[in-house]
Structure formats: C-alpha cells, structure tokens
C-alpha cells in the first residue's frame, strides 16, 4: 500500500510540475482551465465556456448531443473515500503547490473527503 501511495504522490507532483512549466508556453487562447466544482454544478455552462474561450462554434446538433450526454449522468453520485490522517498530511505537503496554484486553499475540504 505504501508503494502505491508513494507512486501516486510522485506522479501527481511530477505531472503538475510539468503542467505549470508547459502552461507558460501555451499561446493565449489555446488553454482553458475549469474548476471541477464549477463544471460539476453546471456542466453545460462549463462546456459553453470552454468553447467560447477556445473560439469554437457549437452547432445545435452538437449542443443537443452534449445536453443529452450530461442529462444521462445528472443523478450520478461520487464515491466518498476515507483518507487516513498520515496520508492527508503527505498530500498537503507534497501536492500543496498545485492546490495553491490552482486556487485551492489547504484548509478546504473539497479536494479530499475524509
């Protein structure tokens, strides 16, 4: 189990470090960041935002397909996982830079359900 935890922490840290480095060289208008909580609450609004930010057109056929897809999952309930205190402390220590850069405070419970 601790090997899996170590790998999980390592890969997220590595991936996010690289993302923040690469993000700086992506031309304006070619990257959209969306808060998961916002997208989860209003997925259609989130998709409209993404299309607008990327200067893409959404025709009526696509919009209706997206709406039908979102409607399929309207009653979906996320799993809730217990996170041991020692692991939560490691997550805060090793991933904190990513949470802070993305506007999530370490005191927020939205990133981890315990």
């Amino acid at each position: 189990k601790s090997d899996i935890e170590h790998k999980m922490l390592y890969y997220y840290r590595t991936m996010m470090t690289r993302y923040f480095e690469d993000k700086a060289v992506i031309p304006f208008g070619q990257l959209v960041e969306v808060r998961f909580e916002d997208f989860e609450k209003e997925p259609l609004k989130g998709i409209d935002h993404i299309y607008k930010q990327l200067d893409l057109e959404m025709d009526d056929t696509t919009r209706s397909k997206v709406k039908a897809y979102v409607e399929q999952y309207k009653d979906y309930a996320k799993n809730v996982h217990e996170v041991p205190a020692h692991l939560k402390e490691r997550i805060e220590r090793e991933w904190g830079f990513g949470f802070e850069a993305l506007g999530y405070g370490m005191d927020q419970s939205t990133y981890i359900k315990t």
Side-chain angles (χ1 to χ4, degrees):
K1 187 176 181 175
S2 88
D3 187 47
I4 291 171
E5 289 173 3
H6 174 74
K7 286 179 180 178
M8 178 185 70
L9 292 165
Y10 169 79
Y11 287 125
Y12 177 85
R13 183 177 59 248
T14 302
M15 177 185 68
M16 292 308 290
T17 298
R18 182 63 186 259
Y19 171 72
F20 292 128
E21 290 169 358
D22 290 351
K23 176 180 159 176
V25 297
I26 297 173
F28 181 79
Q30 294 184 13
L31 173 70
V32 180
E33 293 179 320
V34 179
R35 289 181 58 90
F36 176 75
E37 297 82 2
D38 297 339
F39 191 80
E40 184 179 39
K41 285 179 191 170
E42 297 184 76
L44 295 174
K45 185 176 177 182
I47 292 169
D48 282 338
H49 171 73
I50 292 167
Y51 269 70
K52 286 177 187 165
Q53 290 294 314
L54 295 175
D55 199 25
L56 299 171
E57 295 289 326
M58 185 184 303
D59 61 26
D60 291 338
T61 302
T62 303
R63 182 176 306 286
S64 100
K65 287 179 180 181
V66 168
K67 188 174 182 178
Y69 180 81
V70 167
E71 192 65 25
Q72 261 182 284
Y73 293 97
K74 69 178 180 182
D75 295 324
Y76 175 78
K78 292 187 293 186
N79 294 326
V80 176
H81 301 278
E82 292 289 327
V83 179
H86 79 279
L87 182 54
K88 185 175 179 182
E89 290 169 9
R90 279 191 71 191
I91 290 169
E92 289 175 351
R93 184 174 60 249
E94 296 189 35
W95 293 0
F97 75 97
F99 291 123
E100 294 296 327
L102 295 171
Y104 293 92
M106 295 310 295
D107 60 334
Q108 292 178 315
S109 61
T110 57
Y111 68 95
I112 242 177
K113 300 290 184 196
T114 57

